[in-house]
Amino acid sequence: MAKNKTKIMLTGDRPTGRLHIGHYVGSLRQRVEIQNSGEYDEVFVMIADAQALTDNFDNPDKVRESVMQVAMDYLSVGLEPGKTHMFIQSEIPQLHELTVYYMNLVTVSRVQRNPTVKSEIKMRGFEGESVPVGFFTYPISQASDITAFKATIVPVGEDQEPMLEQCREIVRSFNRLYNCDVLVEPEIYLPPNEACLRLPGTDGQAKMSKSLGNTIYLSDDEATLKKKVMSMFTDPGHLRIEDPGKIEGNTVFTYLDAFCQPDSFEKYLPEYKDLDELKAHYQRGGLGDVKVKKFLFAVLNDFLTPIREKRAYYEAHPEEVIAALTEGTAAARAKAEQTLAEVKHAMKIDYFESWAEEYK
Ligand code: ATP
Ligand code: MG
């Protein structure tokens, strides 16, 4: 009975750079809400360094540096040690062990068909079959990360949906093959707002991504933020102020959809009641991009100010960051060890634990 009620969250990020506002709306915001809801038995957040190394194996310095940066991003947006176990993937060898067993349950063609894998391979420009094996198999290692913690919920961006589907398939195959209910099928937890499902880049590309260099970082200072916002992609057909403008595909409005607060208009643009009114004026014509961008800058700056302040604190207290990771990693290891033991028992490879009983 109690088993069905257990609610566990697991998610993570690749330490390939600092986190950006796409991560925030796609996943970080949901994590903090889940953490603070008090409804979850356990909350795990993983810094996926082993995963980052699959396509950054030639740049260990970047990964190493980013582990610390991502941890600071976590603490800056409100993840709290004591409530959330923040841990480093490579410190949990049980995850890799699970991956080896799961590899038998997935065919090459199934991975090749995975839309996330396809698009990530394309985005990184791997030619033909020159993709590293470790990168290619990442849906399988991701399934290990999720199932090791028996996660019931995984808050991620929409781009990760096919990965969750593949993970559920692995869970079902495993439980059926080994006639057990050791592994738990996770559910994806998507952002509530359309704009946040996949936040586009400042250049208008479909996804804001560290690899594409079209990001606004959570740690960007005010001057950098201003520069990025003022040079953002809008509607290329909106040449003169009096021209009617398009909202669809206009990244400035997408960001406003994601970040506008109830009091934003009163504070920074009181001549408009709300976002709908601003959009209608833009579509009619007579509203310039610069005015909208200045408003967006104010909204984003309001959002980033407390995050920057917290970050400054942790930059001055790195020992607190290390302590958070130490606690989180120990808790994660204990949980993964337990699951691995159950997996090995189900697969009948828990020799020394079971032989004593069998041959007594
Ligand atoms: P990389 O380019 O190294 O893959 P990334 O910027 O794509 O980095 P990830 O670490 O792959 O970031 O993604 C971490 C989490 O953030 C995932 O849950 C992903 O779905 C989410 N995410 C990343 N970018 C966006 C975005 N632009 N909009 C919404 N969610 C996003
Ligand atoms: Mg990515």
Side-chain angles (χ1 to χ4, degrees):
M1 281 297 277
K3 198 171 169 196
N4 292 335
K5 284 195 194 142
T6 307
K7 288 172 94 176
I8 298 174
M9 186 201 98
L10 176 282
T11 188
D13 308 273
R14 295 155 42 90
T16 52
R18 297 173 176 217
L19 298 184
H20 51 68
I21 61 172
H23 295 121
Y24 186 80
V25 296
S27 178
L28 291 170
R29 179 151 64 192
Q30 285 67 248
R31 297 175 203 180
V32 175
E33 281 168 15
I34 285 173
Q35 169 198 269
N36 294 338
S37 73
E39 287 175 21
Y40 283 75
D41 299 283
E42 285 168 302
V43 180
F44 294 96
V45 174
M46 176 180 78
I47 303 180
D49 63 332
Q51 157 61 226
L53 283 164
T54 62
D55 59 331
N56 291 275
F57 47 83
D58 53 351
N59 204 345
D61 289 332
K62 175 169 102 177
V63 173
R64 181 187 168 83
E65 165 66 9
S66 302
V67 168
M68 192 41 109
Q69 294 303 333
V70 168
M72 288 200 193
D73 284 323
Y74 287 166
L75 294 163
S76 307
V77 298
L79 290 177
E80 289 173 39
K83 289 185 179 169
T84 292
H85 302 303
M86 291 166 251
F87 70 95
I88 303 175
Q89 185 185 32
S90 65
E91 291 289 324
I92 322 290
Q94 291 79 8
L95 300 177
H96 308 306
E97 233 177 301
L98 286 175
T99 300
V100 169
Y101 300 128
Y102 295 170
M103 277 182 171
N104 304 329
L105 310 180
V106 182
T107 62
V108 171
S109 70
R110 176 64 185 89
V111 179
Q112 274 168 338
R113 276 202 320 274
N114 185 313
T116 312
V117 174
K118 274 197 206 160
S119 74
E120 297 266 342
I121 287 177
K122 200 166 140 208
M123 198 167 104
R124 283 166 177 76
F126 294 126
E127 293 291 338
E129 295 190 342
S130 71
V131 51
V133 173
F135 186 82
F136 178 71
T137 54
Y138 98 80
I140 306 174
S141 58
Q142 203 160 302
S144 307
D145 302 334
I146 296 168
T147 56
F149 302 96
K150 304 201 177 192
T152 53
I153 202 146
V154 184
V156 282
E158 184 196 37
D159 58 315
Q160 296 296 313
E161 195 138 29
M163 306 299 258
L164 265 288
E165 186 46 38
Q166 185 138 24
C167 176
R168 284 191 289 267
E169 282 176 31
I170 291 173
V171 169
R172 289 195 289 266
S173 299
F174 186 94
N175 287 349
R176 179 169 25 83
L177 269 167
Y178 301 112
N179 195 23
C180 64
D181 59 358
V182 169
L183 301 185
V184 176
E185 283 192 47
E187 272 175 46
I188 194 166
Y189 186 77
L190 290 171
N193 170 339
E194 178 83 20
C196 302
L197 286 174
R198 188 180 306 221
L199 200 75
T202 49
D203 56 357
Q205 286 205 67
K207 190 184 162 203
M208 178 177 287
S209 168
K210 283 169 273 177
S211 310
L212 297 173
N214 56 9
T215 52
I216 292 175
Y217 290 106
L218 294 169
S219 49
D220 277 347
D221 61 27
E222 201 167 316
T224 308
L225 175 68
K226 187 161 226 162
K227 217 166 94 196
K228 287 184 179 175
V229 171
M230 295 318 283
S231 56
M232 262 176 74
F233 176 87
T234 58
D235 169 11
H238 186 239
L239 297 175
R240 291 165 308 173
I241 291 184
E242 57 274 24
D243 291 339
K246 279 206 194 83
I247 301 295
E248 304 77 43
N250 186 329
T251 313
V252 173
F253 281 97
T254 313
Y255 288 9
L256 284 175
D257 278 330
F259 288 98
C260 230
Q261 295 301 314
D263 63 347
S264 301
F265 280 92
E266 206 183 309
K267 273 167 87 178
Y268 300 116
L269 214 50
E271 62 264 46
Y272 297 89
K273 189 168 84 271
D274 56 20
L275 197 49
D276 288 340
E277 227 177 78
L278 188 76
K279 286 181 181 171
H281 191 185
Y282 191 81
Q283 285 170 311
R284 252 192 342 265
L287 175 58
D289 283 330
V290 170
K291 187 165 180 174
V292 188
K293 284 180 173 178
K294 281 189 172 157
F295 177 57
L296 175 63
F297 165 73
V299 168
L300 285 177
N301 200 45
D302 258 8
F303 161 68
L304 290 179
T305 299
I307 295 177
R308 287 187 201 119
E309 282 165 7
K310 271 192 139 175
R311 190 184 189 89
Y313 172 84
Y314 286 109
E315 276 169 0
H317 298 85
E319 70 286 355
E320 290 190 31
V321 184
I322 296 170
L325 291 175
T326 307
E327 178 284 325
T329 300
R333 198 180 291 127
K335 182 86 183 179
E337 247 168 29
Q338 171 63 31
T339 304
L340 181 64
E342 293 172 30
V343 160
K344 290 177 88 168
H345 177 70
M347 294 177 74
K348 304 185 192 295
I349 56 171
D350 58 335
Y351 306 107
F352 297 108
E353 289 77 9
S354 52
W355 272 343
E357 183 65 25
E358 204 173 324
Y359 294 106
K360 80 176 168 210

